[in-house]
Amino acid sequence: MTVSLFDQFMSPTLLGLPLIALAITLPWVMYPAPTTRWLNSRFLALQGWFINRFTQQLLLPLSLGGHKWAALLTSLMIFLITMNMLGLLPYTFTPTTQLSLNLGLATPLWLATVIIGMRNQPTHALGHLLPEGTPGPLIPVLIVIETISLFIRPLALGVRLTANLTAGHLLIQLISTAAFVLLSSMPAVALLTSTVLVLLTLLEVAVAMIQAYVFVLLLTLYLQENV
């Protein structure tokens, strides 16, 4: 049976039931909860330091009205990083390579920022559709273009995350397959290919973290426009 390169992105099933829900709930089980002890473990201290530093960086471009989103955005960041990193392990499934999941995360949050802007400052929110100083004949065209760019934002968020992770996984599979095939015929080339594979894996670890940060950062910028 011929196996496609994209079979690794299919949601695994057990007794006909998709296991993507189990993969989504796994990150929340891995992180330890804070204890009531006076001294925490080193892992808890490192986890708390990372969350505090990220929250500070996240709130820099936001006004005071957007600080109430800190817990949601920080949790989303940790959730995406954990799923992306777990997907790099062998024989695992990465839920964030599914466009449906990424759109399901991006669309409600983007819609919430738009609704907040329309409710709190409708004039300012609608003012983004028409830049100041636009010539009269270009006004209808620019309104249509800006409206399309507004509604395409959640699609861009989901596609960006899906495409980057999918491309990285495909490259890892292609290079690992090449190293395995060349091992018997050309060991030197196989060793060089394995070195490239290790470097690519390190790059994909960075990509997994950066893409999660970019996803949340863009949501923060969308929120800042409407707060």
Side-chain angles (χ1 to χ4, degrees), residues 5-111:
L5 290 176
F6 293 91
D7 286 346
Q8 60 175 317
F9 304 114
M10 296 177 60
S11 177
T13 58
L14 179 63
L15 301 177
L17 299 176
L19 298 181
I20 186 173
L22 180 61
I24 292 175
T25 56
L26 184 60
W28 305 117
V29 183
M30 299 184 60
Y31 287 94
T35 62
T36 56
R37 299 176 181 178
W38 284 12
L39 295 178
N40 291 325
S41 64
R42 294 180 180 178
F43 183 77
L44 277 175
L46 182 62
Q47 175 183 318
W49 176 85
F50 172 77
I51 293 176
N52 290 333
R53 291 294 299 175
F54 171 73
T55 305
Q56 291 176 4
Q57 294 296 323
L58 191 66
L59 297 182
L60 283 179
L62 285 177
S63 59
L64 292 178
H67 287 188
K68 64 184 69 173
W69 285 60
L72 174 62
L73 295 176
T74 305
S75 302
L76 179 62
M77 170 74 174
I78 297 174
F79 178 67
L80 290 176
I81 286 181
T82 307
M83 284 199 300
N84 294 347
M85 298 288 285
L86 289 177
L88 295 174
L89 297 175
Y91 302 104
T92 55
F93 170 68
T94 312
T96 44
T97 57
Q98 305 295 312
L99 183 60
S100 57
L101 174 65
N102 296 333
L103 288 179
L105 292 174
T107 304
L109 295 174
W110 163 81
L111 187 60

Side-chain angles (χ1 to χ4, degrees), residues 82-170:
T82 307
M83 284 199 300
N84 294 347
M85 298 288 285
L86 289 177
L88 295 174
L89 297 175
Y91 302 104
T92 55
F93 170 68
T94 312
T96 44
T97 57
Q98 305 295 312
L99 183 60
S100 57
L101 174 65
N102 296 333
L103 288 179
L105 292 174
T107 304
L109 295 174
W110 163 81
L111 187 60
T113 62
V114 174
I115 292 176
I116 287 176
M118 292 295 182
R119 186 187 65 179
N120 295 339
Q121 40 186 5
T123 304
H124 181 71
L126 293 175
H128 289 293
L129 302 179
L130 184 63
E132 187 177 356
T134 304
L138 295 179
I139 289 179
V141 179
L142 279 180
I143 290 178
V144 173
I145 293 176
E146 292 296 330
T147 304
I148 294 175
S149 66
L150 176 65
F151 282 96
I152 210 173
R153 282 180 175 181
L155 181 61
L157 282 175
V159 170
R160 180 186 293 107
L161 183 59
T162 304
N164 282 281
L165 295 180
T166 303
H169 283 68
L170 286 176

